[in-house]
């Protein structure tokens, strides 16, 4: 695939240190230029980590300790990775000597980081130990690699992140663990979607493509009919909010890096062709727009998500509104709709003993030009689904979109009572819609992800939703009569349903999940 030919591994070592490695992308072959993560050079900074804090200016080769050896690893032309086994040819990976042009900070990405990830929420990026210096996140390295020169080829096909939209498909390519075992892991691919966007011309991108440490510096591509286009670079493979892994990967727009690097590349005599724009409109399945149904629900200091079912009717989870404080509902902004905050009142909540964590909210004002979702009446295990909600980032960047599959439909007496998905779900997603990617229909509402109370670990890719078929009959009754008692049946679920939502079918000690 073309993506694999563009990507590579960068290894840096000194006389007594290293090697340290990450992924990279070959942006041009005439002259050959490789772009990678800047943090791989952190152990070799003369001034130590304080060098990352200097405002604006690039770090030139003199900022590093002398006698560094920089290698770019790629498979031979026409192959993906070297052949393994006793018959493999010697020297399967091609190693090319490189020299550093400059380490460059991306200002637009840095500003977007500060606005999207508040310090009060204790965001961390990198491995679980969080040993990476966050000041290096917005730094990138430009390398000149003469051994990759191929003057007739020019620049890698690129696209501007300014045209991205939430839910659009992406393909990430990087090498887990860098140069540790490239024979096995070189240029691994992972699919995902644009989960969220922030900053000038979408300088910051979040995706649910699953990446591992060592893929930082790898490329993220936008599939298109005329071939994939490089649109972003992996900045951090793991994102942590406090102790919770959120299951998203942090990307920096390639166009933003190129804008920040213009003077450095100009001084090196490199002429950068403009990044072509691309208008991309990929509607949700069935012409539905889930971003038009989702709303931020705030109740005192608590917040979550909700699904608008009618111009004045919203469904969310009981635990989102149980604080009893005044309720504020902010529909997601979009074309033709402003993100105006409306007041709401809770007309029904299930009892705490009910297995169904549900609240019904009436808005004080109607949503103009609202197109309601179409509810599903069947569920297909294995079908692609998406979750839309204000998880992780909350109000900062609007709702996030994550994609997975409907991994299980739990039925009691032949009636679906629980849906399980592999979408990345975080705190704040509760009450958000679960949508079929195939039909665009509303499948249910998110109730929770999974937490192991013994280990203290959260699993964002194992989560539970209430099927819309459970909720649709009382909703229809309520809309006809206006009587909240229409929902009382949600409190009278049988023991089989209660056992399913306790995640424990057999009697015994309480489940640790």
């Amino acid at each position: 695939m073309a993506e694999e030919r563009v990507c590579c591994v960068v290894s840096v070592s000194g006389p007594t240190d290293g090697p340290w490695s990450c992924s990279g992308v070959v942006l041009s072959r005439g002259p050959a230029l490789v772009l990678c993560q800047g943090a791989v050079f952190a152990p070799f900074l003369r001034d130590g980590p304080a060098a990352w804090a200097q405002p604006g200016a690039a770090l030139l080769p003199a900022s590093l300790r002398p006698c560094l050896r920089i290698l770019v690893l790629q498979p031979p032309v026409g192959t993906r990775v070297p052949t393994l086994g006793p018959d493999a040819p010697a020297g399967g990976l091609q190693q090319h000597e490189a020299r550093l042009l400059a380490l460059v900070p991306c200002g637009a990405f840095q500003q977007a980081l500060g606005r999207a990830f508040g310090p009060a929420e204790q965001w961390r990026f990198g491995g679980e130990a969080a040993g990476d210096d966050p000041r290096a996140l917005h730094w990138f390295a430009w390398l000149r690699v003469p051994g990759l020169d191929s003057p007739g080829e020019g620049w890698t096909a690129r696209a501007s992140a300014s045209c991205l939209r939430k839910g659009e498909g992406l393909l990430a390519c990087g090498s887990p663990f860098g140069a540790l075992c490239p024979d096995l892991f070189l240029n691994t691919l992972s699919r995902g979607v644009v989960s969220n966007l922030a900053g000038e011309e979408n300088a910051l991108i979040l995706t649910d493509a699953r990446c591992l440490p060592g893929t930082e510096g790898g490329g993220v591509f936008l599939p298109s009919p005329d071939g994939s286009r490089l649109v972003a670079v992996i900045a951090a493979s793991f994102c942590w909010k406090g102790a919770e892994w959120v299951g998203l990967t942090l990307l920096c727009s390639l166009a933003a890096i190129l804008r920040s690097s213009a003077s450095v590349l100009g001084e090196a005599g490199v002429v950068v062709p403009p990044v072509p724009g691309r208008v991309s409109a990929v509607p949700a399945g069935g012409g539905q727009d889930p971003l038009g149904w989702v709303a931020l629900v705030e109740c005192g200091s608590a917040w979550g998500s909700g699904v608008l079912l009618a111009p004045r009717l919203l469904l969310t989870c009981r635990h989102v509104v149980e604080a009893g404080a005044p309720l504020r509902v902010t529909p997601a902004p979009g074309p033709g709709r402003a993100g105006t905050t409306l007041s709401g009142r809770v007309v029904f909540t299930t009892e705490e003993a009910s297995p169904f964590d549900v609240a019904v909210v009436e808005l004080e004002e109607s949503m103009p030009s609202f197109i309601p979702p179409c509810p599903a009446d069947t569920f297909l295990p294995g079908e692609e689904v998406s979750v839309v909600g204000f998880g992780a980032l909350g109000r900062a960047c609007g709702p996030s979109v994550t994609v997975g599959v409907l991994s299980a439909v739990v039925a009691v007496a032949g009636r679906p009572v629980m849906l399980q998905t592999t979408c990345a779900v975080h705190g704040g997603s509760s009450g958000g819609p679960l949508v079929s990617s195939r039909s665009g229909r509303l499948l249910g509402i998110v109730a929770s992800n999974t937490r192991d109370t013994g280990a203290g670990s959260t699993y964002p890719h194992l989560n539970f939703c209430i099927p819309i078929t459970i909720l649709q009959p009382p909703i229809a009754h309520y809309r006809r009569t206006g009587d909240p008692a229409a929902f009382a049946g949600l409190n009278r679920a049988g023991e089989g349903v209660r056992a399913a939502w306790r995640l424990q079918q057999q009697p015994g000690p309480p489940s640790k999940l």
Side-chain angles (χ1 to χ4, degrees):
M1 296 179 70
E3 297 85 2
E4 295 163 309
R5 186 166 184 269
V6 169
C7 295
C8 61
V9 167
V10 175
S11 173
V12 186
S13 57
T16 59
D17 297 294
W20 300 81
S21 61
C22 67
S23 299
V25 288
V26 182
L27 270 183
S28 168
R29 292 182 183 266
L33 297 172
V34 166
L35 178 68
C36 72
Q37 178 199 40
V40 72
F41 289 92
F44 310 105
L45 291 169
R46 289 181 184 271
D47 295 336
W52 300 127
Q54 67 178 33
L59 295 175
L60 299 178
S63 302
L64 302 176
R65 299 207 304 264
C67 302
L68 296 186
R69 190 182 189 202
I70 307 172
L71 295 176
V72 171
L73 285 65
Q74 273 208 314
V77 175
T79 65
R80 179 186 181 273
V81 293
T83 304
L84 299 177
D87 298 327
L93 268 182
Q94 294 181 342
Q95 297 186 358
H96 303 278
E97 298 281 348
R99 63 181 176 86
L100 178 70
L101 295 179
L103 294 163
V104 178
C106 181
F109 182 63
Q110 182 185 23
Q111 291 175 6
L113 278 170
R115 292 171 184 165
F117 302 103
E121 295 175 323
Q122 300 179 326
W123 281 94
R124 298 179 287 127
F125 303 94
E128 188 169 359
D132 298 331
D133 191 329
R135 294 174 294 182
L137 261 181
H138 65 286
W139 285 83
F140 299 89
W142 284 98
L143 309 178
R144 176 74 176 92
V145 193
L148 291 176
D149 279 346
S150 182
E153 292 195 41
W155 284 72
T156 296
R158 295 155 291 141
S160 172
S162 62
C163 297
L164 292 178
R165 54 171 287 171
K166 295 177 183 179
E168 192 164 21
L170 295 174
L171 184 66
C173 183
S175 299
F177 318 116
L180 179 63
C181 192
D183 288 351
L184 293 178
F185 301 123
L186 185 73
N187 295 344
T188 298
L189 300 173
S190 177
R191 290 194 181 275
V193 298
V194 177
S195 294
N196 219 316
L197 301 158
E200 179 185 357
E201 297 188 10
N202 298 334
L204 184 153
I205 306 157
L206 283 167
T207 178
D208 61 354
R210 299 184 193 179
C211 299
L212 291 170
T215 59
E216 293 85 359
V220 179
F221 298 82
L222 184 64
S224 69
D226 57 348
S228 295
R229 294 179 175 271
L230 183 64
V231 71
V233 172
I234 299 169
S237 55
F238 286 169
C239 302
W240 301 81
K241 186 177 182 181
E244 180 184 6
W245 172 52
V246 301
L248 299 177
T249 296
L250 180 67
L251 314 177
C252 179
S253 155
L254 175 61
I257 297 172
L258 289 172
R259 286 194 299 271
S260 296
S261 306
S263 61
V264 165
L265 295 177
E267 291 172 6
V270 176
V271 178
V272 182
V275 177
R278 174 181 174 272
V279 177
S280 175
V282 182
Q288 300 280 301
D289 179 16
L291 291 169
W293 317 331
V294 69
L296 175 68
V297 180
E298 297 173 283
C299 185
S301 60
W303 54 270
S305 305
V307 185
L308 289 159
L309 301 177
R312 291 185 58 184
L313 184 65
L314 176 133
L315 205 59
T316 186
C317 289
R318 177 190 64 242
H319 71 264
V320 173
V321 302
E322 62 188 356
L327 202 64
R328 301 182 304 280
V329 176
T330 308
R337 61 178 186 269
T340 304
T341 299
L342 307 172
S343 297
R345 62 184 182 89
V346 178
V347 297
F348 177 84
T349 61
T350 51
E351 297 170 357
E352 191 169 344
S354 171
F356 300 119
D357 184 352
V358 174
V360 182
V361 175
E362 284 274 6
L363 303 183
E364 300 295 336
E365 302 175 45
S366 292
M367 282 281 296
S369 305
F370 176 70
I371 301 175
C374 294
D377 53 14
T378 58
F379 308 102
L380 301 175
E383 75 166 308
E384 186 174 289
V385 295
S386 60
V387 163
V388 185
F390 288 82
L393 296 182
R395 181 186 285 276
C397 302
S400 297
V401 180
T402 58
V403 168
V405 299
L406 185 60
S407 50
V409 178
V410 178
V412 173
R415 184 189 187 198
V417 298
M418 173 197 284
L419 305 178
Q420 296 176 17
T421 89
T422 62
C423 302
V425 164
H426 329 105
S429 299
S430 298
L434 174 69
V435 182
S436 166
S437 302
R438 175 182 54 86
S439 67
R441 289 178 175 266
L442 177 65
L443 299 175
I445 69 166
V446 176
S448 72
N449 58 16
T450 304
R451 182 171 178 81
D452 185 328
T453 56
S457 300
T458 299
Y459 305 110
H461 296 103
L462 175 58
N463 46 78
F464 308 98
C465 302
I466 303 169
I468 193 64
T469 49
I470 292 285
L471 304 170
Q472 190 62 19
I475 290 167
H477 188 191
Y478 175 74
R479 294 186 66 185
R480 287 195 309 270
T481 65
D483 183 1
F487 297 100
L490 296 175
N491 293 323
R492 297 193 292 269
E495 179 54 31
V497 178
R498 294 175 184 274
W501 278 96
R502 285 198 304 266
L503 307 184
Q504 184 176 16
Q505 290 287 358
Q506 302 298 325
S511 170
K512 69 173 185 173
L513 298 178

